[in-house]
Amino acid sequence: MESKICIRCAALLPEDAIFCPKCGKKQVHEKRKALKRANGTGSVYKLTGRRRRPWIAVKNKVVIGYYEKKTDALEALEHFSGRVLTQRYNMTFSDIYAEWSVEHFKTIGRKGIEAYENSYRIFTPIHNQKFRELRTADFQEILNQHWKKSSATLAKYKQLITQMSNWAIREEIVLTNFAKFVNIPKMTKHDKDIFTVEEIEKLEKDGSETAKIILMLLSTGMRISELFYLPITGYYENYVIGGSKTEAGRNRIIPIRPEGREHFSYFASRATGPLLLSGYSGQRVPANFRRRDYYPLLEKLEIKKKTPHATRHTYATRAIREGLSPEILQEVLGHADYSTTVNFYNHFDVNTLINAVDKTAVANSLLTNPKSKKKEKP
């Protein structure tokens, strides 16, 4: 039998001795207790029973999550160092949508709200999941089920979850916007139809009230609904005050191009109600106007079929070609973001692009080579 010696002073010990009679050192190795975390930094503890993730991390009485290893739980707590958590941290997808929409819907119109509500419905499978636990794969799985829909529709779905994620980051509910990593088919930019000079001349020559309305749209860039619901009180001879859809688009000043002012004056003098077009003898509901007045006139005049919105594209294209500044055009069209104006409403022809580049090149050469300037005659 081996002699037992003290783990501290190496003195021989009596059999079954717990303490060394010489130095008093306890001879049993004890497991060190973990240091207590500072107040307010959260807690990590192990749950009883057989569990796949037995370690739980808690801060401010809010459960952060369950983990397989203690080190994972401690790491999770470190992410929230210096932050006070509330029950908002455990908000579900539906909770986030409810609070985000109350704030965001104040800035958009009815159609925009409907688009977001339709997008929200496709995420029904994750409505009750904690938003902070959702990852790119969760969003991607939902979108993959709707892959056959148009790129524009899928882009709207992604726009919803991206904006919700940004809101959740602002509210310190999540740290990363996982929605921005979702993949959707790239949108193919199709050339939009615009009215040619020859087609505009046909409308001017026709002279009918329907033609006048189309020319009014071409001279302002207004949406068809904006013109049809424009109050007579919003008409001021060379400009109107109206608009719709977004906050940037409502109650904006819209100048009337010189060639269109006589048509506005024509309907203003014949108004029979509160709206500028109340005296129009045709269809005064936009949807009916398109179907019964607008398209039949294009067919009669042998103008290629294009939607009424083509008048807005035509206005923007002409304005840019004529040198209207981007800031002014954005204001006139009522876009909150100039990228919308550039990406969807301008259509450069070959000559416009070539002339713009040539003009820039000439101006640059004069700046870098002053001698190239022509000498003025005395």
Side-chain angles (χ1 to χ4, degrees):
M1 186 175 181
E2 294 182 4
S3 300
K4 189 174 181 181
I5 62 174
C6 176
I7 61 176
R8 175 188 287 173
C9 66
L12 290 173
L13 300 176
E15 193 175 341
D16 298 329
I18 297 177
F19 295 93
C20 176
K22 185 175 180 181
C23 67
K25 173 65 178 175
K26 191 174 183 178
Q27 301 302 300
V28 178
H29 287 283
E30 293 182 326
K31 215 174 184 181
R32 284 189 177 184
K33 290 184 179 179
L35 293 174
K36 184 180 179 182
R37 294 180 63 84
N39 290 337
T41 60
S43 303
V44 168
Y45 54 89
K46 192 174 185 179
L47 300 172
T48 59
R50 295 186 62 185
R51 301 169 185 266
R52 188 170 65 85
R53 295 181 297 170
W55 292 96
I56 181 172
V58 180
K59 186 173 183 182
N60 304 125
K61 298 181 180 180
V62 177
V63 174
I64 293 175
Y66 299 87
Y67 306 90
E68 291 184 15
K69 300 177 182 178
K70 183 178 181 179
T71 52
D72 294 338
L74 290 170
E75 186 178 342
L77 274 183
E78 290 304 316
H79 282 297
F80 303 98
S81 178
R83 288 176 50 190
V84 176
L85 298 183
T86 66
Q87 287 301 330
R88 287 169 64 79
Y89 178 64
N90 285 325
M91 290 175 73
T92 64
F93 186 96
S94 292
D95 294 333
I96 297 287
Y97 177 80
E99 294 208 21
W100 165 82
S101 60
V102 167
E103 182 178 313
H104 188 69
F105 286 1
K106 294 177 182 178
T107 66
I108 59 178
R110 179 179 56 81
K111 288 187 176 180
I113 292 174
E114 288 178 359
Y116 279 122
E117 288 176 339
N118 291 334
S119 299
Y120 170 69
R121 279 192 283 272
I122 74 144
F123 292 99
T124 299
I126 59 175
H127 278 183
N128 295 324
Q129 290 190 35
K130 292 177 182 177
F131 196 84
R132 63 181 174 82
E133 295 178 350
L134 295 171
R135 296 293 182 268
T136 302
D138 300 306
F139 297 133
Q140 189 72 62
E141 184 179 358
I142 299 292
L143 293 184
N144 288 348
Q145 297 171 18
H146 300 269
W147 208 249
K148 292 184 179 181
K149 293 185 178 179
S150 69
S151 296
T153 300
L154 291 171
K156 196 68 178 179
Y157 296 161
K158 181 176 180 178
Q159 184 180 16
L160 169 66
I161 54 179
T162 299
Q163 292 195 18
M164 288 174 60
S165 297
N166 285 333
W167 184 91
I169 290 174
R170 189 194 75 185
E171 297 298 311
E172 297 187 319
I173 295 166
V174 298
L175 301 176
T176 304
N177 185 339
F178 289 103
K180 68 181 180 181
F181 302 116
V182 167
N183 292 316
I184 58 174
K186 288 186 178 180
M187 295 179 65
T188 303
K189 184 178 177 182
H190 299 288
D191 290 335
K192 307 290 184 181
D193 284 326
I194 62 174
F195 283 84
T196 65
V197 173
E198 293 75 17
E199 291 171 340
I200 294 174
E201 289 176 351
K202 287 183 179 180
L203 291 167
E204 291 172 341
K205 186 176 180 180
D206 180 73
S208 65
E209 287 191 344
T210 300
K212 291 180 189 295
I213 289 177
I214 299 174
L215 291 169
M216 290 164 75
L217 293 170
L218 284 165
S219 65
T220 57
M222 297 177 75
R223 301 176 178 91
I224 185 172
S225 59
E226 292 176 336
L227 178 60
F228 273 80
Y229 299 128
L230 178 71
I232 186 68
T233 54
Y235 168 62
Y236 296 90
E237 295 188 8
N238 59 354
Y239 71 95
V240 297
I241 296 180
S244 62
K245 195 171 181 181
T246 65
E247 188 174 0
R250 286 191 283 271
N251 298 321
R252 67 186 189 275
I253 297 174
I254 307 172
I256 305 170
R257 290 175 64 98
E259 67 271 17
R261 292 172 187 170
E262 63 177 295
H263 307 311
F264 275 85
S265 176
Y266 171 87
F267 282 107
S269 65
R270 288 164 174 74
T272 58
L275 301 180
L276 178 70
L277 296 183
S278 57
Y280 175 48
S281 59
Q283 300 292 326
R284 292 195 290 273
V285 176
N288 294 338
F289 172 79
R290 289 189 192 93
R291 187 172 61 257
R292 301 177 186 176
D293 295 347
Y294 175 81
Y295 288 121
L297 179 62
L298 295 190
E299 186 177 357
K300 171 190 168 185
L301 299 179
E302 297 182 344
I303 294 176
K304 180 184 175 183
K305 186 176 181 179
K306 48 182 70 75
T307 69
H309 209 69
T311 59
R312 190 164 161 85
H313 290 284
T314 306
Y315 177 89
T317 302
R318 283 200 295 180
I320 292 175
R321 188 181 298 144
E322 293 168 0
L324 188 66
S325 72
E327 296 80 7
I328 296 296
L329 180 58
Q330 179 185 355
E331 186 71 22
V332 171
L333 294 178
H335 290 155
D337 187 348
Y338 179 60
S339 64
T340 305
T341 311
V342 173
N343 291 333
F344 295 99
Y345 289 91
N346 88 56
H347 309 273
F348 298 109
D349 56 32
V350 173
N351 291 329
T352 300
L353 293 172
I354 293 174
N355 291 337
V357 172
D358 287 350
K359 185 177 180 181
T360 303
V362 170
N364 187 59
S365 67
L366 292 175
L367 288 173
T368 54
N369 301 298
K371 293 181 181 180
S372 64
K373 295 181 180 178
K374 291 182 180 180
K375 292 182 179 180
E376 295 182 359
K377 294 181 180 180

